[in-house]
Amino acid sequence: MSNILKWFKMTKNQIFYNMYKVFFIVLICLYTGNLAFAQKVYQRDELTRFSGGKPYTFDPTNSDDSPTNLVLQDLFEGLTRIDQNGKVILALASSYKVTNNKKTYIFKIRSDAKWSDGSKVTAAHCALPIQRIVNPKILTTIGFSSYPILNSQKILEGKMPIKKLGVQIINSETLQIKLSQPFPRFLELLSGINYVCLNPKDFNSKGLFINEIPSLSNSAYRIKDYLKEKFIRFEKNPYYYNFNNVKINNVIYYFTEDILSQINMYITGQADMTSPNISSNEIPYLNSKLIGSQLILNRTADSIILILNISKKPFKNNLKLRKSISMVINRDEIAKKILYDSKFIIYDIVPDYIYEYTPYIPKWATVSYVQRVKEAKKLFNESGFNENNKLTIKINYNYSPDSYKIVESISDQLKKELGITVILNRLDYNDNVTSIREANFEISLITWNPNYLDPIEYLGLLKSTKHYKFSYMNNPKYDNLLDMATAQVENKKRNILFEKAAAIGMEYYSVIPLFDKLSRYLVNSDIGGYKENDPYLKLYSQDLYFKKITIK
């Protein structure tokens, strides 16, 4: 009965598409005279999906956005990974032990861990990502994440050579990693895409990525076809240690950001799942096509934030201007436009569902919007701008109807309440990321994607660094609190320190938190292996499978 109900939920095109598949199989069975086979199981072997944008890079060390992470996680694994239940599990490591008061981890590499050409994955390959992350010559946004590893921060700041890094290759199958202090989330840290084991064939002697796409992979899939700007197709990696448990043989990712195109391909049976970026604009269309009930809603660990470039005017050395902008943004009004519940509104980049962490809420957020605007106008005038010295700013954003609704609303609110003229500048995902990395922007709307659920994955974005800056914030007291929190083993005490740091960081207004992200996506009813309400929303292709269709 449940299968019949699923058919009724399909659109006309989906029904015809599935009937065609069944008819084709029956025809073959009748032609061959194998009627017994006609009663057997039919199972598809190619998954068609969308990344939600072009990968910014194929270098895992430099990946910090959803489209790139989604594609790379099918190609690479590290010592650990997050499974479909949101739990950290061993991946290329077969075992580990912890010594030295929880400050030394010794990993054994799986004997059957191999690259897609059949060569063995070694301990040196799993040390390489850490060595690259701390290399000051390699620009990466996530260098702060390595700070629990012994001497990593000093190396990243150019105060110590890489040979002093707390990573030692004992032998080809044994890797030792020393920490500066116990770090309870270390296994989760290693599960991130930036820490996957790497093959030196893809890098030069300086550690720089030299190929357009990786020459080898070590996870469930390897690259079969690649058309830049369009798509990438994977085939099952015959040397993958978990080969027999990977049910889907081929995967194709289309790079288009256009959600309507994704939905139409899904409706017509040309795609099995969309990217998790369906906006509020598309919901009426889905309902008109009778597939609104197939929409999956998933609150994720991602944070939607504005980044302000405080390295340049008008925001440099102008806290009052930055704060006034945050105060007049009416998040409740915007939430209604993008069909978000008010519980998704944030004033701290750290989400409220991290255990024993209480997000920061500024005092002005507890008063009426009218009162907030009154105070914001006072700050704005004190910042040096008024009727005689008007301000014009540019906000960059990615192609997405909801992103446009957010920046359009902010533009209207800034114009109405502060007289600021806002230029909206739509960029594709790659260009927006590049502009942030090169500090070639004024304000940018982005979604931050943490590797795992821990305050440091969010607050670390604001930590001062010399070789690369994300927010250009430089506050020694803030940095010290993060260092103290990282060194603290007891979770409650650790989070109290993070909360103190957040109070400083959020009052700096180099980033303006807006919302926790609500992801919306479509998945074909004959696909299993994923979990709804998953804050990580990994959706590894290797975990998915096509449900069997039995023809009777």
Side-chain angles (χ1 to χ4, degrees):
M1 178 63 71
S2 61
N3 288 332
I4 295 173
L5 290 174
K6 287 177 182 177
W7 274 75
F8 274 111
K9 288 182 179 179
M10 294 180 180
T11 66
K12 186 186 297 184
N13 284 325
Q14 286 177 307
I15 292 173
F16 285 147
Y17 179 69
N18 282 282
M19 288 178 66
Y20 167 78
K21 291 187 293 186
V22 173
F23 173 75
F24 182 72
I25 297 165
V26 172
L27 192 64
I28 291 175
C29 297
L30 291 173
Y31 177 77
T32 58
N34 190 356
L35 293 179
F37 179 78
Q39 296 179 0
K40 289 186 178 180
V41 168
Y42 163 67
Q43 198 165 17
R44 296 164 55 203
D45 68 352
E46 179 167 276
L47 175 70
T48 302
R49 58 190 303 186
F50 297 91
S51 62
K54 293 173 289 187
Y56 174 77
T57 177
F58 280 95
D59 176 6
T61 305
N62 274 308
S63 176
D64 59 7
D65 63 272
S66 291
T68 304
N69 291 351
L70 194 61
V71 171
L72 292 182
Q73 71 180 14
D74 278 354
L75 296 173
F76 295 101
E77 287 185 10
L79 297 168
T80 64
R81 78 176 181 99
I82 302 294
D83 68 8
Q84 64 266 49
N85 296 312
K87 303 295 183 183
V88 63
I89 60 173
L90 293 178
L92 295 183
S94 59
S95 64
Y96 73 97
K97 65 179 180 178
V98 186
T99 63
N100 188 27
N101 294 320
K102 299 182 179 181
K103 292 192 291 186
T104 300
Y105 285 72
I106 301 173
F107 294 91
K108 284 290 184 181
I109 310 301
R110 300 180 64 101
S111 60
D112 54 355
K114 295 182 180 180
W115 292 97
S116 50
D117 63 352
S119 59
K120 287 185 68 65
V121 175
T122 69
H125 299 156
C126 298
L128 182 57
I130 305 175
Q131 294 164 344
R132 296 187 72 237
I133 287 171
V134 303
N135 188 340
K137 296 180 180 179
I138 299 176
L139 296 180
T140 172
T141 59
I142 51 84
F144 67 86
S145 69
S146 68
Y147 287 174
I149 299 172
L150 185 64
N151 296 330
S152 60
Q153 184 170 352
K154 290 183 178 180
I155 295 169
L156 197 55
E157 293 173 350
K159 298 177 181 178
M160 193 176 283
I162 292 181
K163 65 181 181 180
K164 295 288 186 178
L165 181 65
V167 176
Q168 183 180 356
I169 301 165
I170 305 299
N171 54 50
S172 63
E173 295 182 351
T174 310
L175 181 66
Q176 176 181 280
I177 303 177
K178 292 185 177 181
L179 308 183
S180 52
Q181 61 274 322
F183 182 56
R185 307 303 296 274
F186 188 57
L187 295 179
E188 284 91 337
L189 171 65
L190 295 179
S191 73
I193 194 66
N194 310 109
Y195 288 85
V196 297
C197 303
L198 302 173
N199 196 295
K201 290 181 180 180
D202 286 321
F203 308 93
N204 63 19
S205 58
K206 296 180 179 180
L208 300 177
F209 188 66
I210 56 176
N211 295 323
E212 182 179 16
I213 57 175
S215 59
L216 296 171
S217 60
N218 62 28
S219 191
Y221 297 95
R222 62 185 182 185
I223 298 173
K224 183 177 182 181
D225 298 306
Y226 172 64
L227 182 59
K228 191 175 182 179
E229 312 287 328
K230 298 294 183 182
F231 70 86
I232 191 165
R233 179 180 279 111
F234 300 152
E235 63 182 359
K236 210 168 155 182
N237 177 6
Y239 300 102
Y240 183 49
Y241 65 86
N242 201 29
F243 177 86
N244 290 332
N245 290 321
V246 178
K247 303 303 180 183
I248 296 177
N249 292 330
N250 300 281
V251 180
I252 182 168
Y253 281 96
Y254 286 105
F255 298 151
T256 179
E257 295 181 44
D258 185 357
I259 292 296
L260 193 57
S261 295
Q262 295 183 33
I263 292 172
N264 286 332
M265 286 183 67
Y266 174 85
I267 290 173
T268 56
Q270 299 175 73
D272 301 298
M273 57 195 302
T274 67
S275 66
N277 300 320
I278 291 177
S279 75
S280 57
N281 271 19
E282 282 80 41
I283 293 177
Y285 181 69
L286 297 180
N287 290 332
S288 72
K289 296 295 182 180
L290 304 179
I291 60 170
S293 61
Q294 297 178 31
L295 187 67
I296 297 174
L297 306 180
N298 196 124
R299 185 180 185 181
T300 70
D302 301 346
S303 298
I304 301 173
I305 61 177
L306 290 175
I307 307 174
L308 280 61
N309 186 352
I310 64 173
S311 70
K312 299 177 181 179
K313 292 184 177 181
F315 300 117
K316 185 177 182 180
N317 300 325
N318 202 332
L319 175 60
K320 290 181 178 180
L321 172 61
R322 304 195 300 265
K323 183 174 181 178
S324 66
I325 288 176
S326 183
M327 291 176 73
V328 300
I329 295 176
N330 191 332
R331 294 161 176 79
D332 290 281
E333 181 181 279
I334 299 172
K336 292 175 184 176
K337 291 184 178 181
I338 60 175
L339 303 183
Y340 271 29
D341 191 281
S342 60
K343 67 183 179 183
F344 290 96
I345 293 172
I346 58 174
Y347 299 94
D348 186 340
I349 54 177
V350 183
D352 63 3
Y353 47 80
I354 288 183
Y355 180 59
E356 292 186 322
Y357 180 89
T358 302
Y360 177 72
I361 298 178
K363 290 182 180 179
W364 55 260
T366 63
V367 302
S368 70
Y369 183 67
V370 173
Q371 289 177 281
R372 283 163 48 183
V373 170
K374 183 179 179 179
E375 177 61 24
K377 286 181 176 179
K378 182 174 179 289
L379 289 173
F380 182 71
N381 289 330
E382 291 173 355
S383 74
F385 295 96
N386 49 49
E387 285 295 321
N388 298 320
N389 184 25
K390 295 186 177 182
L391 177 62
T392 299
I393 56 176
K394 181 187 290 185
I395 301 180
N396 294 343
Y397 68 100
N398 296 332
Y399 176 77
S400 159
D402 279 349
S403 292
Y404 178 72
K405 285 182 180 181
I406 292 172
V407 295
E408 182 186 41
S409 296
I410 291 173
S411 173
D412 292 342
Q413 291 163 6
L414 294 183
K415 182 66 175 178
K416 177 183 177 182
E417 307 299 351
L418 300 178
I420 299 175
T421 299
V422 177
I423 300 170
L424 300 181
N425 184 35
R426 194 182 89 180
L427 299 173
D428 67 23
Y429 211 104
N430 278 3
D431 290 339
N432 199 13
V433 172
T434 300
S435 71
I436 296 169
R437 285 173 176 251
E438 297 177 352
N440 185 26
F441 73 103
E442 290 182 325
I443 299 180
S444 183
L445 178 73
I446 70 157
T447 299
W448 175 250
N449 319 107
N451 283 315
Y452 60 97
L453 285 172
D454 189 77
I456 191 63
E457 276 290 291
Y458 302 85
L459 298 175
L461 295 174
L462 308 183
K463 190 173 175 63
S464 308
T465 61
K466 291 184 177 180
H467 79 294
Y468 180 84
K469 294 179 182 293
F470 184 85
S471 72
Y472 290 89
M473 178 174 151
N474 190 342
N475 188 301
K477 185 176 180 181
Y478 178 87
D479 296 343
N480 185 51
L481 283 167
L482 287 193
D483 292 340
M484 290 171 61
T486 304
Q488 177 59 246
V489 178
E490 188 178 332
N491 193 66
K492 190 171 184 178
K493 292 180 179 179
R494 186 170 179 266
N495 282 340
I496 288 174
L497 292 168
F498 278 133
E499 289 167 11
K500 290 180 179 180
I504 296 173
M506 298 307 103
E507 285 294 339
Y508 209 82
Y509 298 100
S510 59
V511 298
I512 297 177
L514 299 175
F515 304 101
D516 285 334
K517 186 179 180 183
L518 176 65
S519 291
R520 306 179 179 104
Y521 60 103
L522 294 165
V523 180
N524 197 313
S525 60
D526 65 355
I527 292 178
Y530 62 93
K531 180 182 178 182
E532 297 182 28
N533 299 316
D534 175 11
Y536 289 106
L537 200 63
K538 291 289 188 180
L539 296 175
Y540 293 100
S541 296
Q542 66 166 290
D543 291 333
L544 304 178
Y545 60 89
F546 287 108
K547 298 173 185 176
K548 298 175 181 178
I549 301 175
T550 303
I551 304 170
K552 297 181 179 179

